Amino acid sequence: MTSQHTFHIPVLGLAYSIDTPVKVARFGISSVISVVQDELVEQMRHFHAVKNNIAFHPVFKTTFDYRAKRITEYLNLIKELVHKQIDILKQESYTAGTEITKYFTLLPDESVVKKLYFRMLQASGAAQVNLQNQLREHILPGSIDVNIMTKIDGHNYHSDMKNMDPELFSEALAALRGYANSTLESSVIFSAGLNPRLYSYLETFPDFFPDDEQRIRKRVIIKVSDFRSASIQGKFLAKKGVWVSEFRIESGLNCGGHAFATDGYLMGPVLEEFKEKQNELTRELRVLVNVALIGKKQPILAENENIRFTVQGGIGTASEDHFLRTHYCMDATGWGSPFLLVPEATNVDEETLKDLACATPDDYYLSGASPLGVPFNNFRKSSAEKQRMKRIESGKPGSPCMRKHLSFNTEFTPKTLCTASRKYQHLKIRELNTLALTPPVYKQKLADITEKDCLCEGLSAVGYQLNDPTQKLNMNAVTICPGPNLVYFSGIFKLNQMVDHIYGRASLLNSIERPHMFVNELKMYIDYLKKDLLKLTAPLTSKQVKYYTSFRQNLLSGIQYYKKLDPLKPWLSLLEHYELKLNKISLENPVLAYEN
């Protein structure tokens, strides 16, 4: 499970990285699969089984615990395919164009294994053959990790489960069970915050605890945006004997998909706190875990068991990557959205790929499209966005709700509805029409209702389109959720080009002027604050004043911190410009709160 690369590919929507391990794991690159959409998971298993002449036995919805079983079967298949690829790769000769050569040339130049590869190239005869055999022993597949979004945890069980605990068949618990029952030795990544029921369920699976050899076969990674969240979640699990092997620190706004904004805490100060406290946190969690394991009469943690700290969200250059790993002592970085431009690594349909390759800054925006009620990074040129607008224009806003993964609302019906569904939006607009609102307020509230879009279908559609065009789809429109950092990349790239960019062996940036990633994130937070304040139609309550005052102060403190960082010296005038804007915000008059 030790990667020879210093980066990983995070989860990308539902379908975009659903089979990325099959594409890149044989080159030692770790990546993350989303298992939210079990029908997509089952369809992808069918596709890869047929493609590789492996018998396919479907798991029907009538099968008991079908969701977990579909996930287990798919993950087992992905592992089988990757291991076969590795076996074939190891047998290849070290000649130009072979995958074994590609494996080593992709590695970072400072890698010990890469240096051994360079030695092999300079050697000859028996010495070269010996080094070639040594290198084959060093080949490791990238980790096949699984993401579970903790907020997606609705109930999903059949009538034949009447005597079973329905909570065990909630979406997140079933997904965890599917992963836990697989043969993978990798990590499950929890994102979107603490889910006590889900985290407690980990205790029922032995693979999350050290075995008799102190080996943890399945590991836990938690995605966080600040230290406090890491400490709370880490301690919650530690008291149950579950070791968090990695904290994956993600920018609150400078990322793809859902954006979980902090209260104005910027990435730089957040990483500084992790740098100062990570050893203390590791020691504290180790004590708690071992006490719990002793109480369970199980083997304690190995002495060399440490927590990895990684960072992702908006990284765009090799110098930024290097700074994050060296200055903040990060073990690795995550590069997500840029890989949407790499067909060798991800699934993106041709039309969307072309649109991404020539997109402008205005094409990327933070939207209210998600039924979860969390800001969602969106792409204006996507076919799903065009479809949404067309439905509004035709007087039929909303989407058919087929998957129901995001059905949580009970405003109008006892049975939960998705706020992106046609039924919910019809009821909500009918309620809106009964209110005596001014035209501007009515217009804004109507836009808020109809902005919600079906992510279950939109984020999975490309998986069907690329891998089974004959599949009858409920929706053909594609939703894609790249991070705003993608605007600085224009083109369609090969895997080796993107990896060379990450390691500083090439540059894929376009001609758009790009401030440092920390400065970009700062601007996003200021824009977020502006948008939030301009929504307000009444004087601020004392609670709101306290919140926005703290939010602004955290941003101002972050700017002071950035002024002292050498890599940000070229953007000192821009930092001062943003500082001036923040100081001009008037909390007494939110409508005039921000100077354009």
Side-chain angles (χ1 to χ4, degrees):
M1 292 180 63
T2 303
S3 175
Q4 294 164 350
H5 284 279
T6 61
F7 76 94
H8 59 264
I9 302 176
V11 65
L12 296 166
L14 300 183
Y16 300 104
S17 61
I18 185 76
D19 59 349
T20 292
V22 177
K23 303 171 188 286
V24 304
R26 65 185 180 278
F27 302 117
I29 300 172
S30 299
S31 60
V32 187
I33 293 173
S34 169
V35 291
V36 168
Q37 232 280 42
D38 60 89
E39 289 189 22
L40 174 64
V41 165
E42 181 73 351
Q43 184 59 33
M44 292 300 296
R45 183 169 72 90
H46 176 259
F47 168 76
H48 282 291
V50 171
K51 182 180 179 181
N52 291 278
N53 296 315
I54 295 173
F56 173 76
H57 303 289
V59 177
F60 297 107
K61 276 197 168 185
T62 52
T63 304
F64 179 79
D65 203 17
Y66 73 89
R67 178 172 166 77
K69 289 177 180 175
R70 283 177 169 181
I71 292 168
T72 299
E73 292 296 323
Y74 180 64
L75 297 178
N76 287 347
L77 175 62
I78 295 298
K79 178 186 175 182
E80 179 183 348
L81 294 177
V82 169
H83 281 230
K84 283 183 178 179
Q85 290 172 343
I86 289 290
D87 289 342
I88 293 171
L89 183 148
K90 284 184 175 182
Q91 302 305 314
E92 291 184 334
S93 60
Y94 290 86
T95 54
T98 59
E99 292 198 334
I100 194 170
T101 298
K102 185 174 181 178
Y103 179 97
F104 293 106
T105 56
L106 286 178
L107 293 175
D109 292 344
E110 64 270 21
S111 159
V112 173
V113 176
K114 181 74 168 278
K115 291 175 180 177
L116 185 64
Y117 174 72
F118 286 146
R119 276 181 54 199
M120 182 276 291
L121 293 178
Q122 299 300 318
S124 59
Q128 186 178 58
V129 172
N130 181 52
L131 287 172
Q132 288 177 345
N133 290 333
Q134 285 185 49
L135 285 168
R136 287 189 172 92
E137 294 301 314
H138 284 292
I139 292 173
L140 294 172
S143 187
I144 305 168
D145 297 328
V146 170
N147 189 82
I148 296 178
M149 192 171 182
T150 58
K151 287 184 180 296
I152 302 178
D153 197 20
H155 289 291
N156 188 10
Y157 57 98
H158 292 307
S159 58
D160 61 351
M161 300 178 187
K162 285 180 180 178
N163 296 322
M164 306 293 290
D165 181 356
E167 290 195 350
L168 293 178
F169 297 90
S170 71
E171 300 217 331
L173 268 67
L176 176 59
R177 185 164 58 252
Y179 170 73
N181 290 335
S182 74
T183 57
L184 283 178
E185 293 187 28
S186 62
S187 299
V188 60
I189 299 156
F190 294 124
S191 61
L194 193 157
N195 179 333
R197 180 175 66 181
L198 176 65
Y199 283 12
S200 298
Y201 194 42
L202 284 166
E203 289 187 88
T204 64
F205 301 104
D207 278 1
F208 289 105
F209 298 98
D211 61 17
D212 291 338
E213 298 176 351
Q214 294 183 301
R215 179 179 179 182
I216 304 174
R217 295 183 178 275
K218 287 184 171 65
R219 296 174 174 268
V220 172
I221 296 175
I222 299 181
K223 195 185 293 185
V224 295
S225 53
D226 58 51
F227 184 84
R228 180 175 178 272
S229 176
S231 179
I232 291 172
Q233 295 187 70
K235 290 175 184 176
F236 185 95
L237 288 171
K239 291 173 183 178
K240 298 179 181 300
V242 177
W243 177 247
V244 177
S245 296
E246 178 183 332
F247 286 107
R248 193 159 284 186
I249 308 154
E250 184 173 66
S251 167
L253 292 179
N254 199 7
C255 59
H258 287 90
F260 296 89
T262 64
D263 293 347
Y265 296 108
L266 298 172
M267 176 65 83
V270 166
L271 291 175
E272 187 68 37
E273 186 174 10
F274 271 98
K275 178 183 177 180
E276 293 173 357
K277 299 178 179 178
Q278 61 177 250
N279 290 335
E280 177 188 343
L281 179 62
T282 300
R283 286 193 297 269
E284 189 172 6
L285 295 185
R286 181 187 299 279
V287 170
L288 290 173
V289 167
N290 281 337
V291 167
L293 290 174
I294 291 170
K296 292 174 180 285
K297 298 182 179 179
Q298 292 181 280
I300 63 172
L301 293 171
E303 289 186 10
N304 63 350
E305 190 69 62
N306 287 309
I307 298 175
R308 280 167 52 87
F309 294 86
T310 65
V311 58
Q312 61 192 43
I315 308 169
T317 67
S319 60
E320 289 175 351
D321 184 285
H322 183 262
F323 177 69
L324 293 170
R325 289 186 290 109
T326 55
H327 183 77
Y328 294 110
C329 305
M330 292 291 107
D331 293 292
T333 58
W335 287 67
S337 296
F339 278 98
L340 292 171
L341 297 173
V342 183
E344 289 177 69
T346 57
N347 297 310
V348 182
D349 63 286
E350 188 174 346
E351 178 185 351
T352 305
L353 187 59
K354 288 178 180 178
D355 286 337
L356 288 174
C358 61
T360 64
D362 288 341
D363 292 325
Y364 302 94
Y365 72 109
L366 195 61
S367 75
S370 173
L372 285 176
V374 178
F376 182 76
N377 280 289
N378 219 334
F379 185 57
R380 294 189 197 279
K381 289 184 177 179
S382 72
S383 51
E385 182 61 9
K386 294 172 186 175
Q387 176 180 258
R388 185 184 70 84
M389 297 303 296
K390 187 176 179 180
R391 285 173 171 165
I392 293 171
E393 290 167 6
S394 67
K396 296 180 180 179
S399 309
C401 189
M402 310 299 294
R403 312 294 183 186
K404 306 189 186 305
H405 296 300
L406 302 179
S407 294
F408 304 118
N409 188 281
T410 54
E411 280 181 75
F412 303 107
T413 58
K415 190 174 181 180
T416 56
L417 295 177
C418 175
T419 55
S421 69
R422 185 165 294 163
K423 183 174 182 180
Y424 173 83
Q425 293 191 12
H426 170 75
L427 293 170
K428 192 67 175 175
I429 293 170
R430 188 169 68 181
E431 177 190 66
L432 185 65
N433 291 335
T434 66
L435 305 176
L437 302 174
T438 62
V441 174
Y442 177 89
K443 183 179 179 181
Q444 181 59 56
K445 290 191 175 295
L446 179 63
D448 291 343
I449 294 167
T450 58
E451 189 178 12
K452 297 289 184 284
D453 203 7
C454 180
L455 302 187
C456 299
E457 294 288 351
L459 290 174
S460 61
V462 70
Y464 296 108
Q465 291 177 13
L466 293 183
N467 300 307
D468 188 1
T470 64
Q471 175 82 2
K472 184 179 179 181
L473 298 176
N474 297 311
M475 292 170 60
N476 292 294
V478 170
T479 301
I480 195 163
C481 49
N485 183 54
L486 194 58
V487 73
Y488 302 108
F489 295 84
S490 298
I492 300 171
F493 307 110
K494 294 183 180 297
L495 179 63
N496 66 293
Q497 289 178 300
M498 188 57 69
V499 175
D500 283 348
H501 174 83
I502 292 170
Y503 291 140
R505 300 188 288 244
S507 176
L508 300 181
L509 294 183
N510 55 30
S511 59
I512 298 175
E513 184 180 0
R514 182 186 184 278
H516 191 278
M517 60 178 287
F518 286 172
V519 180
N520 276 334
E521 187 200 43
L522 169 63
K523 181 182 183 300
M524 290 172 202
Y525 266 99
I526 294 174
D527 289 343
Y528 179 86
L529 177 60
K530 168 190 173 181
K531 188 175 180 180
D532 226 30
L533 285 169
L534 294 179
K535 278 185 196 175
L536 301 174
T537 57
L540 272 67
T541 64
S542 58
K543 184 177 180 180
Q544 287 174 318
V545 169
K546 182 178 179 181
Y547 169 75
Y548 287 117
T549 299
S550 175
F551 195 108
R552 181 175 62 179
Q553 187 54 51
N554 289 335
L555 292 179
L556 289 169
S557 297
I559 290 174
Q560 295 307 312
Y561 171 84
Y562 285 155
K563 286 181 178 180
K564 300 174 185 176
L565 288 182
D566 286 339
L568 271 70
K569 291 292 173 63
W571 291 279
L572 185 59
S573 62
L574 190 54
L575 289 171
E576 290 173 344
H577 171 69
Y578 290 145
E579 183 177 31
L580 182 63
K581 282 193 169 189
L582 281 167
N583 280 322
K584 286 186 176 182
I585 288 179
S586 166
L587 297 181
E588 289 73 29
N589 192 344
V591 176
L592 302 176
Y594 187 89
E595 180 190 45
N596 290 318

